């Protein structure tokens, strides 16, 4: 299947546009950390502690070079348990993401809301009911633990760990992406994170289907601090100054020491 880029100009046609196949790409540890921070208010950036990193200089988000391994599956499980435990240890963070008092009154609302941002699509009522039933059965009478369970399960969902674009029914190999998928692409490219409620609302209203509105929304997103974070991460990967393993600093080709490279890196961060 080939997908038309949602932000393309309206006069771009399948005959004139460069069309690339839609692939399933695993999110990078940096993107997962951004999502954990932006959605769950976890500031620790723990993903690299548990998930194997893809080394494909200069960028780590190249789908064809990614490998799904047993270590990545087990790491996702360990990361989810760690984040859930951290959330339980900080009731203020849990209270900030639960749409009512931390009780059993709004499990479904919680999954619909937080789940939409984590897995980057709306869960069906059947999916929500099954997840809530499992939480209640596993942790009866303990809402805090039940919410932790819900988070732990959502964090292991393949649609959080991977960028997935579903193929619609039909035989046409060229299709336009949905508004939700457009929001996902914008958020991942410009913020390295999940869509926020404002972007999801724009998708629901159909604004991302209009090229003028897309441009306005993208411009506003670039003014957000999350865009600066993403720009700094892009330059860090491109120029190699945040690569930890010795010998991988791109500056070394110019005879710079690691100390000199660090100084230059600090200047680049300040400029961006």
């Amino acid at each position: 299947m080939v997908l038309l880029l949602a932000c393309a100009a309206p006069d771009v046609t399948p005959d004139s546009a460069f069309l690339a196949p839609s692939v399933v790409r695993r999110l990078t540890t940096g993107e997962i950390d951004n999502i954990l921070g932006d959605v769950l208010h976890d500031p620790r950036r723990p993903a690299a502690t548990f998930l194997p990193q893809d080394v494909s200089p200069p960028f780590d988000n190249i789908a064809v070079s990614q490998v799904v391994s047993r270590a990545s599956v087990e790491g996702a499980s360990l990361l989810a348990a760690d984040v859930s435990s951290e959330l339980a240890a900080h009731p203020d963070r849990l209270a900030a993401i639960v749409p009512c008092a931390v009780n059993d009154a709004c499990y479904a609302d919680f999954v619909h809301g937080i789940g939409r941002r984590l897995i980057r699509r709306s869960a069906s009522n059947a999916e929500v009911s099954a997840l809530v039933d499992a939480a209640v059965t596993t942790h009866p009478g303990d809402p805090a633990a039940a919410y932790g369970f819900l988070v732990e399960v959502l964090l292991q969902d393949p649609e959080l760990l991977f960028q997935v674009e579903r193929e619609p029914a039909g035989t046409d190999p060229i299709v336009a992406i949905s508004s939700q998928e457009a929001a996902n692409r914008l958020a991942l490219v410009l913020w390295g994170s999940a869509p926020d409620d404002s972007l999801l609302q724009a998708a629901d209203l159909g604004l991302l289907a209009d090229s003028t509105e897309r441009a306005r929304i993208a411009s506003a997103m670039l003014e957000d601090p999350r865009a600066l974070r993403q720009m700094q991460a892009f330059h860090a990967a491109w120029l190699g100054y945040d690569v930890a393993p010795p010998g991988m600093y791109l500056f070394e080709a110019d005879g710079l020491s690691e100390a000199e490279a660090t100084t230059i890196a600090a200047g680049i961060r300040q400029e961006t």
Side-chain angles (χ1 to χ4, degrees):
M1 179 182 66
V2 177
L3 299 176
L4 286 172
L5 179 61
C7 291
D11 57 347
V12 174
T13 66
D15 292 333
S16 64
F18 170 75
L19 301 179
S22 175
V23 296
V24 176
R25 175 181 72 82
R26 187 167 71 247
L27 268 60
T28 68
T29 55
E31 289 169 333
I32 290 175
D33 278 333
N34 291 342
I35 291 173
L36 295 177
D38 295 343
V39 180
L40 300 181
H41 309 294
D42 189 330
R44 301 172 301 140
R45 305 191 67 81
T49 302
F50 299 98
L51 299 175
Q53 292 184 281
D54 295 296
V55 179
S56 180
F59 302 111
D60 59 356
N61 63 346
I62 309 300
V64 295
S65 66
Q66 293 179 332
V67 176
V68 178
S69 63
R70 179 174 179 176
S72 63
V73 174
E74 292 177 346
S77 177
L78 293 171
L79 174 63
D82 174 78
V83 172
S84 175
S85 297
E86 181 74 8
L87 191 62
H90 293 83
D92 56 325
R93 293 183 197 164
L94 181 59
I97 62 174
V98 173
C100 62
V102 181
N103 55 41
D104 59 2
C106 54
Y107 289 145
D109 289 342
F110 175 78
V111 175
H112 277 297
I114 289 295
R116 188 179 183 192
R117 294 191 63 192
L118 289 177
I119 66 174
R120 301 181 298 285
R121 69 169 176 86
S122 296
S124 69
N125 289 334
E127 290 174 316
V128 172
S129 294
L131 190 52
V132 170
D133 288 346
V136 172
T137 301
T138 308
H139 300 284
D142 189 349
Y147 282 111
F149 172 86
L150 294 172
V151 168
E152 186 172 351
V153 172
L154 287 169
L155 290 181
Q156 296 177 77
D157 193 294
E159 291 183 83
L160 180 144
L161 300 170
F162 294 83
Q163 182 182 6
V164 178
E165 293 175 341
R166 296 172 179 268
E167 183 173 2
T171 59
D172 192 341
I174 301 175
V175 296
I177 62 176
S178 68
S179 292
Q180 174 74 64
E181 290 166 344
N184 295 342
R185 287 193 182 192
L186 282 171
L188 283 171
V189 170
L190 300 182
W191 291 342
S193 187
D196 61 10
D197 291 332
S198 175
L199 186 54
L200 291 172
Q201 184 179 30
D204 289 341
L205 294 174
L207 299 180
L208 297 181
D210 179 81
S211 60
T212 300
E213 283 297 318
R214 284 197 303 272
R216 180 188 65 79
I217 291 168
S219 295
M221 291 174 68
L222 289 172
E223 298 297 323
D224 190 283
R226 287 168 288 189
L228 175 59
R229 176 186 65 192
Q230 178 73 341
M231 189 180 302
Q232 290 174 335
F234 171 82
H235 282 92
W238 180 30
L239 299 177
Y241 58 74
D242 270 2
V243 180
M248 292 191 68
Y249 285 95
L250 301 186
F251 295 112
E252 290 182 355
D254 296 323
L256 298 178
S257 67
E258 186 170 329
E260 290 170 323
T262 300
T263 300
I264 293 174
I268 292 174
R269 287 195 183 92
Q270 185 173 358
E271 288 298 319
T272 55

